[in-house]
Amino acid sequence: MKLYLTNIVCSILLAAILLTACKKENYPSRDTSGLKPPPPPPPPPPPDPKIVSFNPADALDNWETAGNKGAIEKPGAKEGLGWLKASIVSGEDYMHFIYRRPAALNAGLTKANGALKLWLYIGDISQIKADGQFELTSSGESDKNEYNWDLAPMLPNLKNGWNELTLSFSDAGESSGDGGPKLSAFNFFRLYLWTTGKTHADVALGLDDLRLVEK
């Protein structure tokens, strides 16, 4: 009888052990089939329009300023290693920036889609006279085979400090009698401007990152 009871107890214990061993553990489901897929990544940005450097204004090479006052400033550059700075000092009222490019530049642009883009620095816009002009030519000099843009209509939209300008070929004036510049051979740039008088604090002016771009 005692042996019989012992067998029963052993059977019950064995059944309990087997039941515990076979018990299914509950784990969080890893099935993501019911979830929405993540959204696709945004498309890449469209390619930049054609941009060809005319001059980065990082060095004085082939630049001329009135009175030879030009210098390369490093702090505050909008692009590259520096920017070209020259000031109209007290007692004077005129400044020009002239760049003669050693090799003519063909940016592959047309009058309809091309533009000259640049950064212009003006220390005190209130001192600038509503006169002056930007010029871009293929003749190696001013007033021949030229595009030009008057500064005066731009002044109301300019501010002290840096201004990025886009000068469209289609908005430019042209030198008379020669059909304007040869678009495959730009080699000369000039900006000239005045202050409203000669009695003023020094007015800092500057240029940086001259580019021919497809607008």
Side-chain angles (χ1 to χ4, degrees), residues 97 131-135 143 146-152 154 173 189-194:
F97 296 84
D131 203 343
Q133 196 169 77
F134 296 86
E135 300 171 346
D143 305 327
E146 176 184 278
Y147 279 153
N148 54 66
W149 300 265
D150 290 337
L151 177 62
M154 304 179 198
F189 167 86
R190 178 170 74 154
L191 164 63
Y192 62 91
L193 68 168
W194 287 268

Side-chain angles (χ1 to χ4, degrees), residues 135-207:
E135 300 171 346
L136 184 66
T137 86
S138 62
S139 62
E141 57 184 309
S142 296
D143 305 327
K144 295 181 181 178
N145 301 114
E146 176 184 278
Y147 279 153
N148 54 66
W149 300 265
D150 290 337
L151 177 62
M154 304 179 198
L155 286 178
N157 297 316
L158 301 184
K159 64 182 186 300
N160 291 346
W162 284 112
N163 300 269
E164 188 174 26
L165 305 181
T166 301
L167 309 178
S168 297
F169 295 170
S170 57
D171 295 334
E174 295 183 1
S175 50
S176 60
D178 58 20
K182 184 178 180 181
L183 301 185
S184 61
F186 288 114
N187 60 6
F188 182 90
F189 167 86
R190 178 170 74 154
L191 164 63
Y192 62 91
L193 68 168
W194 287 268
T195 51
T196 56
K198 294 185 178 183
T199 304
H200 54 78
D202 292 357
V203 179
L205 303 168
L207 294 172

